[in-house]
Amino acid sequence: SEDVVGKSMRIFYPGVQQFHDFTKISEQLEKDGLFIKRTELKKNDGSIISCAVRGRRTVLAGGARGIVFNFEDITSRLLI
């Protein structure tokens, strides 16, 4: 919580390129209103996990717009 509040999502990515690749989701969001992507994230201990990421546009009460992300750790499924 206090390790991530107010910080960029960049801290979750193992490298700059992975972060930049992930931030290029706007085209798919504009076209479909949602996206599904696989990416790698860095845990607190420095280890890397594979994640399925889903995102969709949303409008909150009061009219605020944003994107809701769901990250699912799929590392163990990929090892089988």
Side-chain angles (χ1 to χ4, degrees):
S1 54
E2 61 263 357
D3 293 337
V4 298
V5 171
K7 295 184 181 172
S8 167
M9 284 182 59
R10 165 67 186 92
I11 65 170
F12 296 108
Y13 289 87
V16 174
Q17 188 60 49
Q18 290 94 338
F19 176 67
H20 287 296
D21 289 346
F22 183 75
T23 60
K24 295 176 185 174
I25 61 171
S26 60
E27 288 179 21
Q28 188 173 357
L29 278 171
E30 286 298 321
K31 179 182 169 199
D32 303 327
L34 58 92
F35 75 96
I36 299 173
K37 180 173 179 68
R38 186 175 139 210
T39 191
E40 292 183 334
L41 298 179
K42 180 174 57 173
K43 292 173 48 174
N44 281 348
D45 66 5
S47 62
I48 306 299
I49 59 172
S50 293
C51 290
V53 184
R54 294 165 192 85
R56 64 177 171 82
R57 289 192 175 277
T58 188
V59 179
L60 303 174
R65 297 176 177 266
I67 303 170
V68 174
F69 293 107
N70 175 288
F71 293 82
E72 177 186 3
D73 183 351
I74 60 170
T75 306
S76 61
R77 281 192 254 162
L78 296 174
L79 297 175
I80 296 174

XYZ file of all heavy atoms in Angstrom:
633
model
N 0.818 -1.193 0.000
C 0.000 0.000 0.000
C 0.860 1.256 0.000
O 0.906 1.974 -0.992
C -0.952 -0.028 1.177
O -0.241 -0.225 2.378
N 1.564 1.559 1.089
C 2.388 2.777 1.087
C 3.587 2.637 0.147
O 4.197 3.619 -0.238
C 2.841 3.174 2.491
C 3.683 2.165 3.201
C 2.893 1.270 4.156
O 1.689 1.465 4.318
O 3.508 0.363 4.726
N 3.900 1.393 -0.252
C 4.981 1.188 -1.213
C 4.591 1.600 -2.625
O 5.452 1.857 -3.457
C 5.401 -0.289 -1.245
C 6.060 -0.732 0.044
O 6.594 0.133 0.770
O 6.044 -1.941 0.339
N 3.283 1.669 -2.911
C 2.854 1.957 -4.271
C 1.997 3.213 -4.425
O 1.920 3.772 -5.513
C 2.094 0.763 -4.886
C 2.983 -0.460 -4.981
C 0.837 0.444 -4.122
N 1.351 3.668 -3.371
C 0.468 4.832 -3.477
C 1.264 6.047 -3.922
O 2.314 6.358 -3.368
C -0.251 5.099 -2.132
C -1.002 6.423 -2.176
C -1.189 3.962 -1.800
N 0.763 6.697 -4.973
C 1.397 7.904 -5.480
C 2.570 7.662 -6.411
O 3.212 8.607 -6.853
N 2.845 6.395 -6.725
C 3.971 6.082 -7.608
C 3.471 5.642 -8.974
O 2.341 5.199 -9.125
C 4.843 4.993 -6.983
C 5.493 5.457 -5.703
C 6.413 4.426 -5.139
C 7.017 4.941 -3.831
N 7.778 3.916 -3.152
N 4.325 5.730 -9.948
C 4.012 5.309 -11.308
C 3.897 3.787 -11.374
O 4.581 3.066 -10.637
C 5.132 5.766 -12.248
O 5.020 5.140 -13.505
N 3.065 3.303 -12.309
C 2.970 1.858 -12.547
C 4.304 1.292 -13.024
O 4.506 0.094 -13.011
C 1.886 1.558 -13.577
C 0.492 1.671 -13.018
S -0.780 1.257 -14.219
C -0.358 -0.414 -14.664
N 5.203 2.132 -13.430
C 6.530 1.714 -13.915
C 7.255 0.836 -12.905
O 8.007 -0.056 -13.282
C 7.341 2.976 -14.259
C 8.831 2.791 -14.438
C 9.171 1.959 -15.665
N 10.574 1.689 -15.732
C 11.184 0.607 -15.225
N 10.502 -0.315 -14.601
N 12.471 0.441 -15.338
N 6.999 1.037 -11.603
C 7.713 0.263 -10.577
C 7.382 -1.221 -10.631
O 8.121 -2.029 -10.089
C 7.450 0.805 -9.156
C 5.980 0.647 -8.765
C 7.909 2.236 -9.030
C 5.688 0.938 -7.306
N 6.295 -1.593 -11.292
C 5.897 -2.997 -11.376
C 6.536 -3.735 -12.548
O 6.415 -4.945 -12.654
C 4.374 -3.126 -11.516
C 3.632 -2.612 -10.323
C 2.920 -1.433 -10.394
C 3.653 -3.307 -9.119
C 2.221 -0.950 -9.302
C 2.972 -2.833 -8.024
C 2.253 -1.650 -8.113
N 7.191 -3.016 -13.443
C 7.727 -3.626 -14.662
C 9.227 -3.862 -14.540
O 9.952 -3.026 -14.014
C 7.405 -2.745 -15.876
C 5.940 -2.814 -16.192
C 5.036 -1.964 -15.564
C 5.454 -3.772 -17.059
C 3.684 -2.066 -15.810
C 4.100 -3.878 -17.308
C 3.218 -3.023 -16.681
O 1.884 -3.137 -16.911
N 9.696 -5.012 -15.073
C 11.116 -5.339 -14.949
C 12.026 -4.443 -15.784
O 13.216 -4.360 -15.520
C 11.202 -6.792 -15.419
C 9.963 -7.052 -16.190
C 8.932 -6.094 -15.688
N 11.482 -3.767 -16.777
C 12.297 -2.892 -17.610
C 11.454 -1.809 -18.254
O 10.226 -1.894 -18.301
N 12.117 -0.810 -18.767
C 11.446 0.324 -19.391
C 10.649 -0.125 -20.611
O 9.519 0.321 -20.835
C 12.471 1.421 -19.776
C 11.809 2.533 -20.560
C 13.145 1.956 -18.540
N 11.207 -1.037 -21.417
C 10.530 -1.466 -22.640
C 9.205 -2.155 -22.337
O 8.211 -1.896 -22.998
C 11.424 -2.398 -23.465
C 10.837 -2.708 -24.829
C 10.626 -1.445 -25.663
O 11.517 -0.607 -25.787
N 9.437 -1.299 -26.232
N 9.158 -3.026 -21.318
C 7.904 -3.688 -20.949
C 6.849 -2.664 -20.536
O 5.682 -2.790 -20.881
C 8.108 -4.703 -19.814
C 8.869 -5.927 -20.211
C 10.355 -5.793 -19.932
O 10.916 -4.703 -19.826
N 11.029 -6.917 -19.826
N 7.269 -1.647 -19.795
C 6.339 -0.602 -19.370
C 5.807 0.169 -20.581
O 4.602 0.389 -20.703
C 7.019 0.352 -18.392
C 6.151 1.503 -17.985
C 5.024 1.304 -17.220
C 6.473 2.794 -18.370
C 4.210 2.372 -16.837
C 5.670 3.865 -17.997
C 4.538 3.651 -17.231
N 6.687 0.552 -21.498
C 6.263 1.307 -22.682
C 5.353 0.463 -23.574
O 4.385 0.973 -24.131
C 7.450 1.854 -23.454
C 8.109 3.000 -22.768
N 7.477 4.205 -22.546
C 9.340 3.123 -22.223
C 8.284 5.017 -21.899
N 9.425 4.387 -21.687
N 5.647 -0.830 -23.705
C 4.779 -1.710 -24.488
C 3.384 -1.750 -23.886
O 2.384 -1.723 -24.599
C 5.345 -3.130 -24.551
C 6.584 -3.226 -25.422
O 6.863 -2.284 -26.191
O 7.280 -4.250 -25.320
N 3.304 -1.815 -22.576
C 2.003 -1.880 -21.914
C 1.228 -0.580 -22.069
O 0.003 -0.594 -22.201
C 2.179 -2.209 -20.429
C 0.864 -2.349 -19.715
C 0.094 -3.477 -19.885
C 0.398 -1.338 -18.906
C -1.128 -3.608 -19.244
C -0.818 -1.450 -18.264
C -1.584 -2.589 -18.432
N 1.909 0.545 -22.065
C 1.212 1.822 -22.138
C 0.638 2.103 -23.521
O -0.120 3.058 -23.680
C 2.124 2.997 -21.713
O 3.250 3.056 -22.580
C 2.567 2.849 -20.278
N 0.942 1.272 -24.503
C 0.427 1.462 -25.863
C -0.937 0.774 -26.051
O -1.240 0.300 -27.128
C 1.423 0.935 -26.881
C 2.727 1.699 -26.886
C 3.710 1.088 -27.843
C 5.047 1.783 -27.748
N 6.065 1.137 -28.567
N -1.749 0.755 -25.024
C -3.043 0.082 -25.078
C -4.159 0.984 -25.571
O -5.257 0.522 -25.847
C -3.432 -0.470 -23.695
C -3.543 0.673 -22.684
C -2.481 -1.541 -23.243
C -4.106 0.284 -21.361
N -3.889 2.266 -25.716
C -4.953 3.221 -26.021
C -5.658 2.921 -27.341
O -6.867 3.117 -27.447
C -4.424 4.645 -26.008
O -3.415 4.795 -26.968
N -4.945 2.435 -28.352
C -5.581 2.131 -29.635
C -6.642 1.055 -29.485
O -7.745 1.189 -30.012
C -4.532 1.695 -30.658
C -3.650 2.813 -31.137
C -2.618 2.334 -32.140
O -2.814 1.268 -32.749
O -1.614 3.050 -32.302
N -6.324 -0.024 -28.785
C -7.296 -1.099 -28.603
C -8.462 -0.640 -27.729
O -9.602 -0.987 -27.973
C -6.643 -2.341 -28.002
C -7.586 -3.530 -27.995
C -6.928 -4.822 -27.555
O -5.736 -4.867 -27.292
N -7.707 -5.863 -27.473
N -8.170 0.171 -26.714
C -9.245 0.698 -25.875
C -10.184 1.591 -26.683
O -11.402 1.525 -26.516
C -8.678 1.487 -24.700
C -8.231 0.661 -23.511
C -7.498 1.536 -22.511
C -9.402 -0.008 -22.849
N -9.640 2.428 -27.550
C -10.476 3.295 -28.378
C -11.355 2.470 -29.313
O -12.524 2.781 -29.508
C -9.613 4.260 -29.192
C -9.007 5.368 -28.383
C -10.054 6.271 -27.748
O -11.077 6.556 -28.399
O -9.842 6.679 -26.595
N -10.785 1.420 -29.872
C -11.509 0.597 -30.844
C -12.548 -0.298 -30.173
O -13.704 -0.346 -30.599
C -10.512 -0.260 -31.623
C -11.130 -1.176 -32.641
C -10.072 -2.014 -33.325
C -10.730 -3.106 -34.150
N -9.833 -4.182 -34.466
N -12.167 -1.019 -29.133
C -13.002 -2.062 -28.538
C -13.581 -1.712 -27.172
O -14.482 -2.381 -26.700
C -12.194 -3.358 -28.383
C -11.627 -3.849 -29.706
O -12.278 -3.637 -30.743
O -10.533 -4.448 -29.699
N -13.008 -0.717 -26.495
C -13.461 -0.389 -25.145
C -12.875 -1.292 -24.087
O -13.124 -1.123 -22.900
N -12.074 -2.285 -24.513
C -11.409 -3.188 -23.569
C -10.161 -3.752 -24.231
O -9.952 -3.607 -25.419
C -12.345 -4.321 -23.133
C -12.914 -5.219 -24.238
C -12.021 -6.421 -24.468
C -14.309 -5.670 -23.858
N -9.337 -4.402 -23.434
C -8.160 -5.069 -23.989
C -7.782 -6.234 -23.098
O -8.130 -6.291 -21.922
C -6.972 -4.105 -24.145
C -6.306 -3.772 -22.843
C -5.187 -4.470 -22.425
C -6.807 -2.774 -22.028
C -4.589 -4.177 -21.228
C -6.210 -2.472 -20.836
C -5.098 -3.173 -20.426
N -7.067 -7.181 -23.703
C -6.489 -8.311 -22.976
C -5.061 -8.438 -23.479
O -4.818 -8.414 -24.685
C -7.267 -9.613 -23.220
C -8.704 -9.461 -22.743
C -6.582 -10.785 -22.525
C -9.602 -10.625 -23.093
N -4.123 -8.557 -22.561
C -2.707 -8.594 -22.931
C -1.953 -9.447 -21.918
O -2.356 -9.558 -20.773
C -2.158 -7.165 -22.933
C -0.706 -7.044 -23.308
C -0.330 -5.584 -23.430
C 1.112 -5.389 -23.767
N 1.490 -5.823 -25.082
N -0.871 -10.043 -22.353
C 0.020 -10.746 -21.441
C 1.249 -9.872 -21.236
O 1.776 -9.285 -22.187
C 0.430 -12.088 -22.036
C 1.229 -12.907 -21.056
C 1.529 -14.280 -21.597
N 2.895 -14.577 -21.244
C 3.706 -15.346 -21.930
N 3.296 -15.912 -23.030
N 4.920 -15.541 -21.528
N 1.708 -9.771 -19.988
C 2.875 -8.959 -19.689
C 3.639 -9.593 -18.527
O 3.152 -10.528 -17.895
C 2.474 -7.502 -19.344
O 3.638 -6.683 -19.319
C 1.743 -7.421 -18.021
N 4.815 -9.105 -18.279
C 5.602 -9.554 -17.130
C 5.671 -8.422 -16.120
O 5.823 -7.257 -16.477
C 7.006 -9.958 -17.564
C 7.022 -11.200 -18.423
C 8.431 -11.625 -18.792
O 9.329 -10.766 -18.836
O 8.621 -12.821 -19.049
N 5.539 -8.790 -14.841
C 5.628 -7.818 -13.752
C 6.676 -8.246 -12.749
O 6.999 -9.427 -12.630
C 4.274 -7.680 -13.049
C 3.117 -7.165 -13.886
C 1.850 -7.113 -13.051
C 3.424 -5.803 -14.467
N 7.170 -7.275 -12.006
C 8.206 -7.512 -10.996
C 7.559 -7.481 -9.611
O 6.839 -6.546 -9.269
C 9.276 -6.431 -11.110
C 10.404 -6.548 -10.130
C 11.484 -5.522 -10.412
C 10.917 -4.121 -10.385
N 11.939 -3.072 -10.494
N 7.817 -8.519 -8.822
C 7.316 -8.573 -7.447
C 8.267 -7.808 -6.523
O 9.368 -7.431 -6.914
C 7.202 -10.034 -7.001
C 6.127 -10.797 -7.745
C 6.093 -12.279 -7.451
C 6.138 -12.632 -6.002
N 5.968 -14.061 -5.725
N 7.824 -7.583 -5.289
C 8.661 -6.860 -4.302
C 10.031 -7.492 -4.123
O 11.021 -6.796 -3.898
C 7.968 -6.802 -2.944
C 6.900 -5.743 -2.880
O 6.807 -4.896 -3.749
N 6.086 -5.803 -1.851
N 10.103 -8.827 -4.199
C 11.386 -9.508 -3.996
C 12.267 -9.496 -5.245
O 13.353 -10.057 -5.257
C 11.164 -10.940 -3.514
C 10.482 -11.830 -4.543
O 10.241 -11.391 -5.691
O 10.165 -12.990 -4.188
N 11.772 -8.868 -6.336
C 12.552 -8.770 -7.567
C 12.274 -9.872 -8.568
O 12.721 -9.794 -9.712
N 11.555 -10.917 -8.164
C 11.250 -12.003 -9.093
C 10.215 -11.526 -10.114
O 9.458 -10.596 -9.876
C 10.754 -13.241 -8.347
O 9.556 -12.963 -7.649
N 10.210 -12.190 -11.269
C 9.348 -11.807 -12.379
C 8.216 -12.833 -12.518
O 8.456 -14.040 -12.452
C 10.139 -11.758 -13.702
C 11.357 -10.843 -13.564
C 9.255 -11.346 -14.866
C 11.048 -9.412 -13.244
N 6.991 -12.336 -12.703
C 5.838 -13.207 -12.934
C 5.172 -12.816 -14.252
O 5.272 -11.671 -14.691
C 4.809 -13.134 -11.789
C 4.292 -11.706 -11.590
C 5.386 -13.701 -10.502
C 3.143 -11.581 -10.618
N 4.531 -13.787 -14.889
C 3.748 -13.530 -16.097
C 2.310 -13.269 -15.686
O 1.763 -13.981 -14.837
C 3.807 -14.727 -17.042
O 5.101 -14.879 -17.542
N 1.705 -12.259 -16.290
C 0.327 -11.890 -15.941
C -0.525 -11.740 -17.189
O -0.056 -11.244 -18.212
C 0.296 -10.567 -15.190
S 0.977 -10.655 -13.551
N -1.781 -12.153 -17.061
C -2.797 -11.806 -18.040
C -3.427 -10.527 -17.510
O -3.792 -10.446 -16.341
C -3.832 -12.913 -18.148
N -3.523 -9.519 -18.350
C -4.068 -8.231 -17.939
C -5.307 -7.945 -18.776
O -5.288 -8.092 -19.994
C -3.057 -7.086 -18.155
C -3.604 -5.772 -17.630
C -1.727 -7.413 -17.525
N -6.364 -7.582 -18.079
C -7.586 -7.157 -18.747
C -7.865 -5.728 -18.320
O -7.661 -5.376 -17.168
C -8.751 -8.054 -18.346
C -8.589 -9.485 -18.842
C -9.566 -10.418 -18.121
N -9.237 -11.802 -18.364
C -8.357 -12.514 -17.675
N -7.701 -11.970 -16.677
N -8.112 -13.769 -17.972
N -8.332 -4.936 -19.240
C -8.660 -3.557 -18.921
C -9.900 -3.124 -19.666
O -10.195 -3.625 -20.747
N -10.634 -2.225 -19.060
C -11.813 -1.670 -19.734
C -12.003 -0.232 -19.280
O -11.631 0.142 -18.168
C -13.059 -2.490 -19.454
C -13.486 -2.492 -18.017
C -14.783 -3.275 -17.822
N -15.070 -3.437 -16.421
C -15.669 -2.506 -15.657
N -16.046 -1.372 -16.180
N -15.887 -2.733 -14.372
N -12.580 0.535 -20.157
C -12.911 1.924 -19.820
C -14.095 1.932 -18.872
O -14.967 1.079 -18.948
C -13.269 2.708 -21.072
C -12.096 2.968 -21.954
C -12.490 3.999 -23.016
N -11.345 4.356 -23.801
C -10.443 5.261 -23.456
N -10.546 5.895 -22.328
N -9.422 5.527 -24.228
N -14.138 2.917 -18.003
C -15.264 3.057 -17.090
C -15.524 4.535 -16.823
O -14.622 5.359 -16.978
C -14.999 2.306 -15.764
O -16.185 2.311 -14.980
C -13.869 2.917 -14.977
N -16.749 4.823 -16.474
C -17.124 6.169 -16.051
C -17.688 6.041 -14.645
O -18.645 5.308 -14.410
C -18.176 6.802 -16.993
C -18.545 8.195 -16.507
C -17.648 6.849 -18.422
N -17.075 6.727 -13.706
C -17.484 6.655 -12.310
C -18.590 7.650 -12.017
O -18.849 8.561 -12.808
C -16.275 6.930 -11.409
C -15.073 6.017 -11.605
C -13.907 6.502 -10.760
C -15.434 4.583 -11.260
N -19.219 7.477 -10.873
C -20.222 8.446 -10.431
C -19.582 9.830 -10.427
O -18.447 10.002 -9.993
C -20.725 8.083 -9.039
N -20.286 10.795 -10.909
C -19.739 12.146 -10.986
C -19.074 12.429 -12.317
O -18.608 13.534 -12.558
N -18.985 11.411 -13.181
C -18.460 11.614 -14.527
C -16.976 11.387 -14.702
O -16.458 11.533 -15.811
N -16.250 11.047 -13.647
C -14.808 10.786 -13.790
C -14.597 9.561 -14.683
O -15.273 8.549 -14.533
C -14.174 10.562 -12.427
N -13.672 9.662 -15.618
C -13.377 8.563 -16.538
C -12.050 7.922 -16.154
O -11.155 8.573 -15.653
C -13.294 9.070 -17.972
C -14.593 9.633 -18.462
C -14.423 10.223 -19.862
N -15.691 10.687 -20.347
C -16.512 9.965 -21.104
N -16.165 8.750 -21.455
N -17.663 10.460 -21.500
N -11.954 6.623 -16.427
C -10.718 5.937 -16.122
C -10.691 4.566 -16.760
O -11.547 4.226 -17.585
N -9.703 3.783 -16.378
C -9.555 2.410 -16.856
C -9.437 1.507 -15.641
O -8.664 1.789 -14.721
C -8.291 2.255 -17.733
C -8.330 3.219 -18.914
C -8.148 0.815 -18.218
C -7.028 3.303 -19.675
N -10.188 0.416 -15.643
C -10.104 -0.580 -14.584
C -9.232 -1.714 -15.109
O -9.491 -2.254 -16.189
C -11.506 -1.118 -14.204
C -11.377 -2.248 -13.206
C -12.370 -0.003 -13.658
N -8.174 -2.050 -14.360
C -7.272 -3.135 -14.734
C -7.480 -4.329 -13.818
O -7.716 -4.169 -12.625
C -5.797 -2.707 -14.583
C -5.368 -1.646 -15.531
C -5.157 -0.353 -15.095
C -5.140 -1.942 -16.860
C -4.737 0.640 -15.970
C -4.725 -0.958 -17.741
C -4.514 0.332 -17.294
N -7.337 -5.525 -14.387
C -7.331 -6.762 -13.618
C -6.077 -7.513 -14.027
O -5.889 -7.816 -15.207
C -8.580 -7.588 -13.948
C -8.564 -8.927 -13.275
O -7.803 -9.804 -13.655
N -9.409 -9.095 -12.295
N -5.195 -7.780 -13.059
C -3.956 -8.508 -13.312
C -4.079 -9.901 -12.697
O -4.367 -10.020 -11.508
C -2.767 -7.790 -12.670
C -2.447 -6.469 -13.295
C -3.137 -5.318 -12.943
C -1.445 -6.370 -14.248
C -2.847 -4.095 -13.512
C -1.139 -5.153 -14.822
C -1.843 -4.016 -14.459
N -3.844 -10.940 -13.499
C -3.914 -12.317 -13.004
C -2.562 -12.990 -13.214
O -2.056 -13.042 -14.340
C -4.999 -13.088 -13.764
C -5.096 -14.534 -13.360
C -6.072 -15.311 -14.215
O -6.650 -14.756 -15.177
O -6.258 -16.504 -13.925
N -1.989 -13.522 -12.145
C -0.710 -14.224 -12.221
C -0.937 -15.569 -12.911
O -1.649 -16.428 -12.404
C -0.151 -14.429 -10.812
C 1.216 -15.092 -10.807
O 1.684 -15.562 -11.866
O 1.814 -15.164 -9.719
N -0.335 -15.748 -14.093
C -0.479 -16.994 -14.848
C 0.845 -17.756 -14.946
O 0.966 -18.681 -15.738
C -1.057 -16.726 -16.240
C -0.151 -15.793 -17.049
C -2.486 -16.187 -16.151
C -0.525 -15.666 -18.517
N 1.799 -17.384 -14.128
C 3.141 -17.994 -14.189
C 3.094 -19.506 -14.089
O 3.702 -20.201 -14.896
C 4.026 -17.415 -13.062
O 4.016 -15.987 -13.139
C 5.449 -17.931 -13.171
N 2.378 -20.042 -13.108
C 2.357 -21.485 -12.902
C 1.704 -22.214 -14.078
O 2.122 -23.317 -14.440
C 1.649 -21.849 -11.595
O 0.317 -21.408 -11.615
N 0.728 -21.607 -14.708
C 0.079 -22.242 -15.885
C 1.037 -22.312 -17.056
O 0.971 -23.242 -17.851
C -1.153 -21.453 -16.300
C -2.328 -21.747 -15.422
C -3.565 -21.186 -16.054
N -3.947 -20.004 -15.294
C -4.752 -19.079 -15.708
N -5.269 -19.131 -16.907
N -5.050 -18.059 -14.948
N 1.926 -21.356 -17.191
C 2.859 -21.346 -18.307
C 3.986 -22.356 -18.113
O 4.630 -22.746 -19.095
C 3.441 -19.945 -18.497
C 2.436 -18.862 -18.894
C 3.126 -17.506 -18.911
C 1.806 -19.164 -20.231
N 4.225 -22.773 -16.892
C 5.304 -23.720 -16.603
C 4.908 -25.171 -16.862
O 5.762 -26.045 -16.896
C 5.772 -23.567 -15.161
C 6.384 -22.213 -14.805
C 6.702 -22.135 -13.322
C 7.642 -21.946 -15.639
N 3.632 -25.419 -17.024
C 3.142 -26.803 -17.217
C 3.422 -27.270 -18.630
O 3.359 -26.636 -19.575
C 1.630 -26.910 -16.906
C 1.430 -26.598 -15.445
C 1.076 -28.266 -17.269
C -0.027 -26.534 -15.018
